[in-house]
Amino acid sequence: MPESKFAEQLRFYFIVDCEADLSVERQVEIALTAGATIVQYRNKRFSGRDFESVEAIRRLCAAQQVPFIVNDDIVLARAVGADGIHLGQSDEKHALARKILGKYAIIGASVSTVEELEATNLTGCDYIGTGPVFETGTKPDANPVIGLSGLARVAERSPVPVVAIGGIAAQNAQQCFSAGACGISVISAITRAKDPEYAARELGRACGLFPRTLRTPWDDEFELIAKAIETGGSGSEFPAIRIPPGDDAALFADFPNPVFTTDTQREGIHFRRRWQTMEEIGQRAVAITFSDLAASYAQPVGFFVNLCLPPETTEQDVIDLYRGIGRALASHGAGLGGGNLSSGPVLSLDLFAAGSGGRIFPLRSAALPGDGLYVTGPIGLARCGLECLATGDYAYPALIERYKLPRARFDAARVLRDHDVACVMDISDGLFGDASHIAEASGTTVCFEPDHFIIDWNLEAYCDAYGIDPAARMISGGDDYELLFACPPERFEAMQSQLPGAFRVGSVTDRQERSCTGAPGGVASYRHGKP
Ligand code: TZP
Ligand code: MG
């Protein structure tokens, strides 16, 4: 990039403030809206928990084609895919940063005075940050104030563009440019302002920049909705949906015992895009929403989805997502009834499904003392699959598949319904959590019987390798979407041949002190998306 073009990118250099009340994502949105030309993530107390917000900021910047710089931490810069790094005086890591981040990375260094400038090897350095030009409360260990004259001296001698920093706001920005700075760097003038949007706008204006409208992931919402619906299946081929999406609402044909359910899937909590394709996310969203219909003995009829899309989402992403939704709906003979799109900070899906219920509606409260507690198939696998994705261990594809693409057990539900099983639910929160729901609702206690558990061999292999007790994992792992049901043992025996893979996990007794007993020590409820 020609130097002058690069210097333009330094004009309005916003640095996040992790100590401010405003979230760093919001700070970046405000700065970008005001025209910020470059953004730096600076967090002296960074921990792994912050990684997702760093990723979110990188995405916000990428959508506006604004370079994203990480302060100090080369490994973090590399991990998040930052466009560059800013290193302090004492760091002397420029060569290492170049090696790790590659030849196109932007590398900046802090240089306060002419003496420092002369003592610093700026080979491979693209710009310097110079200051504090004015008093600042933001960096307690800052060097003495250098003033506009100090800035001018450094700017005059620097072989690379200079960004002024320290105590800069809209009122003194122009003075910094006049002193030779290519850009101004600000923290508190925005993050601690009474009205951050206003302060950022004024700074943008002082830099001679225009505010920008943050780009949405699509150019034309209606066109995208039309394309998405076309990909997802218009619903018109499904007799239950008489007027499919396209009008203000969908008109459904009369269908018996309408059952409705809803679910939410949020990136970072329920799924992660780096682990799953958009198509898989769409397919999974349908499966887990329909799983609640299966657990209610309802046959799926219609599906609705409201999407919230972060700025970097492409039209192709949306279409791929709908392709996954369409594929899953078609496999269940259900259609898309409608939905909506909006932009937002993270990808999330609000899901709604309509189904036609059977002659009985199973309840969590219908477990009786003396019943056995059963599951329709292997459990604990999805949580192991989630761990595999998190750690990058791809030696257990069946476990990963289970997490990514669970199936709603309509086949098993039909058998249970035909045998009048009155207490059913799907296992999304894990056996421990979901059995507790049954015990609480039915005023009983569930006693786990790990000796009866059938351990899936994929699970066994994984647990062997990682030194995990498979029974504990089966009790605590969620997201398997098998059905959990209670019924008299004779009834289970009568239908067992039609339920290959089903097995007993416990018994239901009169209410005791605790809702669940018999779990191995240390077993806890499942937390979605947390391996
Ligand atoms: N380096 C020199 S001064 C400073 C840094 C990081 C703080 C700038 O913050 P503010 O709030 O814009 O004065
Ligand atoms: Mg459920």
Side-chain angles (χ1 to χ4, degrees):
M1 178 181 310
E3 194 181 292
S4 60
K5 183 97 176 81
F6 175 62
E8 274 170 36
Q9 285 197 318
L10 297 170
R11 190 133 183 110
F12 181 177
Y13 191 136
F14 175 66
I15 305 179
V16 305
D17 182 350
C18 294
E19 311 288 321
D21 290 339
L22 214 52
S23 78
V24 286
E25 288 96 326
R26 184 67 198 132
Q27 293 172 26
V28 171
E29 277 175 358
I30 290 172
L32 289 173
T33 306
T37 52
I38 184 163
V39 168
Q40 184 190 117
Y41 181 79
R42 178 175 183 268
N43 184 356
K44 299 293 171 191
R45 287 193 240 159
F46 175 80
S47 83
R49 277 192 302 275
D50 301 313
F51 188 73
E52 276 176 15
S53 76
V54 187
E55 279 188 312
I57 295 171
R58 186 199 53 75
R59 288 202 299 261
L60 283 169
C61 293
Q64 312 309 322
Q65 295 174 338
V66 163
F68 174 60
I69 307 293
V70 167
N71 185 288
D72 266 350
D73 189 336
I74 302 174
V75 175
L76 174 60
R78 173 71 203 251
V80 77
D83 300 297
I85 185 100
H86 185 92
L87 299 168
Q89 249 304 299
S90 53
D91 291 325
E92 291 180 353
K93 293 184 291 201
H94 304 140
L96 181 64
R98 180 65 70 207
K99 195 166 164 193
I100 294 177
L101 301 177
K103 66 176 173 182
Y104 298 112
I106 299 169
I107 298 184
S110 297
V111 171
S112 289
T113 59
V114 171
E115 293 70 42
E116 266 184 15
L117 183 67
E118 274 158 12
T120 310
N121 177 4
L122 291 178
T123 317
C125 211
D126 298 296
Y127 75 90
I128 55 171
T130 300
V133 180
F134 306 106
E135 287 291 345
T136 174
T138 308
K139 184 173 160 73
D141 60 345
N143 287 334
V145 168
I146 59 168
L148 288 163
S149 53
L151 171 65
R153 277 196 291 279
V154 173
E156 200 188 346
R157 288 171 182 76
S158 174
V160 292
V162 173
V163 181
I165 188 165
I168 298 171
Q171 311 79 269
N172 53 22
Q174 186 50 53
Q175 295 172 308
C176 298
F177 292 124
S178 303
C182 290
I184 50 131
S185 196
V186 291
I187 305 180
S188 59
I190 294 177
T191 64
R192 308 289 172 118
K194 243 202 229 119
D195 182 347
E197 278 104 334
Y198 176 79
R201 259 198 316 274
E202 288 301 297
L203 268 156
R205 205 197 308 268
C207 294
L209 297 163
F210 292 107
R212 55 161 89 76
T213 307
L214 294 197
R215 248 189 36 196
T216 54
W218 54 84
D219 296 328
D220 179 333
E221 179 181 346
F222 300 123
E223 197 186 311
L224 181 57
I225 290 178
K227 277 192 208 161
I229 289 172
E230 202 183 303
T231 319
S234 70
S236 55
E237 63 268 42
F238 299 101
I241 305 181
R242 298 216 324 235
I243 307 285
D247 284 274
D248 291 340
L251 178 67
F252 280 67
D254 207 9
F255 60 87
N257 301 323
V259 173
F260 300 95
T261 184
T262 175
D263 214 320
T264 293
Q265 287 288 301
R266 201 172 160 81
E267 182 171 21
I269 295 177
H270 301 98
F271 64 86
R272 284 178 173 64
R273 257 190 289 181
R274 62 175 182 277
W275 296 342
Q276 283 151 285
T277 63
M278 291 298 260
E279 197 165 333
E280 286 169 343
I281 292 167
Q283 267 179 280
R284 184 170 186 272
V286 173
I288 63 175
T289 312
F290 279 4
S291 173
D292 282 330
L293 292 181
S296 309
Y297 296 163
Q299 213 33 53
V301 171
F303 185 75
F304 298 78
V305 55
N306 289 343
L307 288 181
C308 176
L309 303 170
E312 79 282 7
T313 321
T314 62
E315 280 204 8
Q316 193 56 48
D317 286 337
V318 179
I319 289 171
D320 290 346
L321 185 78
Y322 269 84
R323 181 173 302 111
I325 291 174
R327 175 170 296 172
L329 290 179
S331 75
H332 290 294
L336 194 62
N340 207 351
L341 298 180
S342 93
S343 55
V346 290
L347 177 62
S348 50
L349 298 84
D350 288 322
L351 309 155
F352 310 88
S356 179
R359 112 192 110 71
I360 45 175
F361 186 74
L363 298 168
R364 297 174 182 190
S365 57
L368 294 170
D371 281 350
L373 190 70
Y374 307 90
V375 292
T376 50
I379 52 174
L381 280 64
R383 169 150 177 214
C384 299
L386 182 60
E387 281 175 356
C388 289
L389 288 167
T391 57
D393 179 351
Y394 296 104
Y396 305 92
L399 303 179
I400 292 179
E401 186 76 3
R402 188 38 114 79
Y403 171 74
K404 282 186 173 184
L405 296 171
R407 60 191 180 121
R409 294 296 315 265
F410 289 102
D411 56 333
R414 269 189 290 278
V415 177
L416 300 179
R417 180 201 60 196
D418 291 348
H419 287 81
D420 292 328
V421 174
C423 174
V424 185
M425 69 179 295
D426 68 334
I427 306 180
S428 58
D429 295 338
L431 180 58
F432 188 89
D434 289 329
S436 309
H437 294 320
I438 287 184
E440 294 294 341
S442 58
T444 59
T445 283
V446 161
C447 179
F448 295 116
E449 295 165 357
D451 291 349
H452 286 96
F453 287 7
I454 296 177
I455 301 169
D456 176 271
W457 68 268
N458 293 291
L459 178 77
E460 192 165 20
Y462 177 85
C463 290
D464 268 358
Y466 284 91
I468 298 166
D469 171 8
R473 178 51 54 94
M474 288 167 77
I475 293 179
S476 64
D479 274 336
D480 286 299
Y481 299 98
E482 289 294 337
L483 299 177
L484 174 66
F485 60 100
C487 66
E490 321 76 75
R491 202 164 321 163
F492 178 69
E493 272 163 38
M495 60 186 163
Q496 201 171 4
S497 63
Q498 293 166 267
L499 287 176
F503 60 94
R504 182 174 168 113
V505 291
S507 55
V508 180
T509 66
D510 282 325
R511 179 72 191 186
Q512 296 161 24
E513 198 187 324
R514 285 187 293 144
S515 55
C516 291
T517 61
V523 165
S525 293
Y526 179 64
R527 291 185 305 149
H528 289 278
K530 298 269 182 294

